[in-house]
Amino acid sequence: MSRLIQYLRMPWLVLPLVVLLGVVAFGPGQSTIGVTDRDEARFAQASKQMAISGDLIDIRFQDGTRYKKPVGIYWLQSTTANLFEKDQIWSYRIVSFSAAVLAGLALYWALLPLTGAQAAGPAALMMPGLFILNIEARLAKTDATLLLVIILTMGALARIWMRTPSGWWTRAIFWVGLSAGVLIKGPIIFGPVLCSILWLCATKREWRWLGDLSPMKGGLAFLALTLPWFIAITIKSDWAFWGASLGEDFSAKIASGQEEHGAFPGTYILTGLLTLWPWTVLVPAAAVFAFKNRAERNIAFLIGWLVPFWLVLELVPTKLLHYTLPVYPALIALAALALVTFSARAIGWLGIGIWVLGAALIAVIGIGLPIMAESAQSLLFIATFIVAGGIGFWVFTRRKTLAPELLVTALTVSAVVMHIGLLSGMLAKMRLVFPSESMRWAIAQHRCEGRSLAIAGYHEPSAVFNLGTGLKKLDHDAAWNALSTGAIELAWIDASKLPPVADAIEVRGFNYNEGREVLMRLYAAPDQPVNAIEGCK
């Protein structure tokens, strides 16, 4: 055991273990979980169209524009789509998967000047177990990639703050990271970076260290990396990009709860019981450690990374579970330091209680969602829940004798096991919540591919990704008219209020965005459903 602990403290073993745990944690479900609505489907579809068209400037969703976010994520996803399968969602999720795996390695590097290798190793090992990162790693969106960029940018900033001997490459990582963050998700990256800088300057009354960032040269490099595309899209869209991205999307999030995602201040403290799990077990110790050592230069940096931007997020009306992800690395770092410093005392009864509460929430999700969606229970999730709980119980009973590296590895394994059961087991089996996947499968099974297609009564973006860019989204009357005139050859019609038809090609599902059941039936003409026995041929 002592030799194993010694090995776990060596970078040449810790870093490959971080990668291995990341691959095992984030890999299952990449190809089996259906395309989720609405953001992932929109990102993936726009990236698909970019991959097909080769237009690296404009961002399109069918015949319309997609100007809510800059182009960075579409460049990455369209590249992987061209390398692999344009019609498969896993090709677009590769970007988030890779970023999530690399985030653990990046955190180890970022924390070396702040915590030293003794705490950087356990912190890196925590990343594959983080609940919210396990979700984002399986979605073709911006957030896992942005997290990686933020960790690298903050790691460079930490080296400047800690006066760690470093060359031009540290400043290059900072400014390139800042540029990449802006191209991926606009001004969001300025949140944690500027909040940290302002916090440190205000609390430590130091400003001169900012000169080590080479703001003049770095600022010019930042402009050189970001301005070309922003100028190009401004010209191509005739300024429409700015109205959609800043005027509609960004300002709407700040001014009110966008798309009914508003919540009260303090919401993230409650949702953290789930999103930060299983490392909620170390939150009380991390808070005590941070308060006691707040005057230390390294702890001040981590507090500056964590607290100010968290407060900003709590005050912003729009709230989504993943918004706090950029500050979780700082909280994980404080947790790792507390674990190394306090040893067994870092896991007290309060932390265990919070851990149990988070596990209970996951159990409610894993068992409750199939009931709500009228889907079969996932025996894989139930089995992994039992295994994860057993590992957690073993860790808590032996925490006084376990080294921090072994304790963290065991809890990470328990979390990874549970997440695989929840996301790859339970969610992948819930076919009812992915009706457009079933529609695509039905069309292929009955040899109906290649025909012009419309849909009425289910207009979620996933339908466009699964059924084709040329999909016509119509109301019922327009769909009947298009079928009767021959403008389209086939139409999926919401038949939940229509009389039953024997042997028709039908798909049952649940629209979770609207909270209603759907029954989609394939028609070749008004009142003429496609026969499931004969198919299209």
Side-chain angles (χ1 to χ4, degrees):
M1 184 71 73
S2 60
R3 179 166 293 184
L4 174 61
I5 293 169
Q6 288 179 346
Y7 286 151
L8 286 175
R9 290 174 178 170
M10 297 178 180
W12 61 267
L13 182 60
V14 169
L15 298 182
L17 182 58
V18 170
V19 173
L20 176 61
L21 287 172
V23 171
V24 173
F26 308 136
Q30 293 286 342
S31 61
T32 56
I33 297 174
V35 184
T36 60
D37 287 305
R38 298 182 170 115
D39 282 351
E40 180 186 41
R42 289 167 175 160
F43 277 114
Q45 176 61 29
S47 296
K48 180 198 288 189
Q49 292 182 217
M50 181 175 285
I52 293 171
S53 69
D55 186 345
L56 299 180
I57 303 299
D58 208 9
I59 307 169
R60 313 290 297 182
F61 184 90
Q62 291 192 290
D63 295 329
T65 59
R66 171 76 174 155
Y67 289 158
K68 288 191 173 185
K69 298 292 184 291
V71 77
I73 198 67
Y74 304 103
W75 283 344
L76 295 172
Q77 290 183 352
S78 62
T79 299
T80 57
N82 278 322
L83 290 174
F84 299 103
E85 298 278 347
K86 293 186 181 69
D87 293 328
Q88 299 297 320
I89 188 60
W90 60 265
S91 295
Y92 303 87
R93 289 173 175 167
I94 285 175
V95 176
S96 295
F97 166 78
S98 302
V101 172
L102 293 174
L105 298 181
L107 186 60
Y108 182 90
W109 171 81
L111 294 183
L112 283 177
L114 296 168
T115 67
Q118 188 178 10
L125 288 167
M126 290 181 188
M127 292 297 282
L130 188 62
F131 180 81
I132 189 62
L133 186 56
N134 273 265
I135 293 177
E136 294 301 328
R138 291 171 170 84
L139 297 176
K141 293 166 57 240
T142 57
D143 300 286
T145 307
L146 181 67
L147 174 68
L148 173 62
V149 171
I150 286 175
I151 291 173
L152 292 171
T153 305
M154 295 299 290
L157 186 65
R159 280 160 172 76
I160 300 296
W161 169 252
M162 295 298 294
R163 303 187 182 97
T164 303
S166 56
W168 62 269
W169 59 270
T170 300
R171 295 185 290 275
I173 290 174
F174 177 82
W175 290 106
V176 171
L178 209 60
S179 304
V182 168
L183 286 171
I184 289 169
K185 204 169 181 176
I188 299 301
I189 192 172
F190 290 118
V193 173
L194 289 181
C195 283
S196 299
I197 290 174
L198 292 174
W199 175 274
L200 293 171
C201 291
T203 58
K204 295 298 183 180
R205 306 200 182 281
E206 294 184 36
W207 298 88
R208 294 183 181 276
W209 66 280
L210 294 174
D212 294 335
L213 287 171
S214 299
M216 291 297 294
K217 293 180 180 179
L220 290 174
F222 171 82
L223 294 175
L225 291 170
T226 57
L227 273 185
W229 179 80
F230 282 107
I231 292 173
I233 193 62
T234 300
I235 296 171
K236 191 156 193 172
S237 69
D238 193 21
W239 294 90
F241 169 80
W242 298 101
S245 61
L246 295 182
E248 296 176 15
D249 185 54
F250 187 71
S251 62
K253 286 182 170 65
I254 295 176
S256 61
Q258 188 186 41
E259 297 180 354
E260 300 181 358
H261 293 311
F264 54 86
T267 295
Y268 290 126
I269 295 176
L270 297 177
T271 59
L273 294 172
L274 183 64
T275 57
L276 188 60
W277 195 90
W279 309 119
T280 47
V281 71
L282 293 170
V283 166
V288 171
F289 178 85
F291 182 77
K292 286 184 175 181
N293 298 277
R294 63 191 182 278
E296 299 294 328
R297 196 171 183 85
N298 60 332
I299 306 305
F301 184 92
L302 292 172
I303 293 174
W305 184 351
L306 171 63
V307 174
F309 190 52
W310 187 301
L311 292 176
V312 170
L313 293 173
E314 291 285 14
L315 293 174
V316 171
T318 301
K319 289 181 173 61
L320 292 171
L321 291 179
H322 61 269
Y323 278 8
T324 50
L325 185 56
V327 300
Y328 277 175
L331 186 52
I332 284 175
L334 290 169
L337 281 170
L339 184 60
V340 170
T341 303
F342 295 151
S343 188
R345 291 177 296 146
I347 299 183
W349 288 110
L350 178 59
I352 293 174
I354 296 173
W355 185 93
V356 170
L357 183 57
L361 288 173
I362 295 175
V364 169
I365 293 171
I367 296 174
L369 281 183
I371 294 174
M372 293 174 61
E374 298 181 0
S375 177
Q377 290 292 332
S378 171
L379 295 179
L380 176 60
F381 169 71
I382 295 173
T384 54
F385 181 82
I386 294 172
V387 171
I391 296 175
F393 178 79
W394 178 81
V395 168
F396 298 149
T397 57
R398 293 175 177 260
R399 64 187 185 277
K400 294 182 180 180
T401 59
L402 292 178
E405 295 83 1
L406 191 57
L407 186 150
V408 165
T409 302
L411 282 180
T412 295
V413 169
S414 74
V416 167
V417 167
M418 187 184 294
H419 299 336
I420 290 175
L422 179 70
L423 300 172
S424 180
M426 181 276 291
L427 190 58
K429 284 187 62 177
M430 293 177 59
R431 308 313 306 169
L432 284 174
V433 300
F434 304 111
S436 63
E437 297 270 347
S438 299
M439 287 184 246
R440 178 169 70 170
W441 181 82
I443 285 176
Q445 182 189 36
H446 296 287
R447 293 172 292 178
C448 298
E449 304 101 317
R451 291 166 170 79
S452 56
L453 187 65
I455 192 167
Y458 185 82
H459 291 171
E460 296 298 333
S462 60
V464 179
F465 183 88
N466 283 314
L467 300 177
T469 304
L471 179 70
K472 304 293 184 184
K473 294 179 287 186
L474 308 172
D475 60 30
H476 287 77
D477 292 339
W480 295 130
N481 183 63
L483 284 171
S484 62
T485 59
I488 55 170
E489 296 173 273
L490 297 171
W492 282 104
I493 307 290
D494 185 353
S496 57
K497 297 181 180 179
L498 298 177
V501 176
D503 297 327
I505 297 178
E506 292 182 343
V507 166
R508 290 187 177 274
F510 183 78
N511 186 333
Y512 50 83
N513 284 303
E514 297 181 359
R516 65 180 182 88
E517 294 181 356
V518 292
L519 172 63
M520 305 302 295
R521 186 179 297 154
L522 189 62
Y523 283 85
D527 301 320
Q528 185 180 331
V530 178
N531 190 291
I533 299 175
E534 297 180 358
C536 294
K537 296 184 179 179

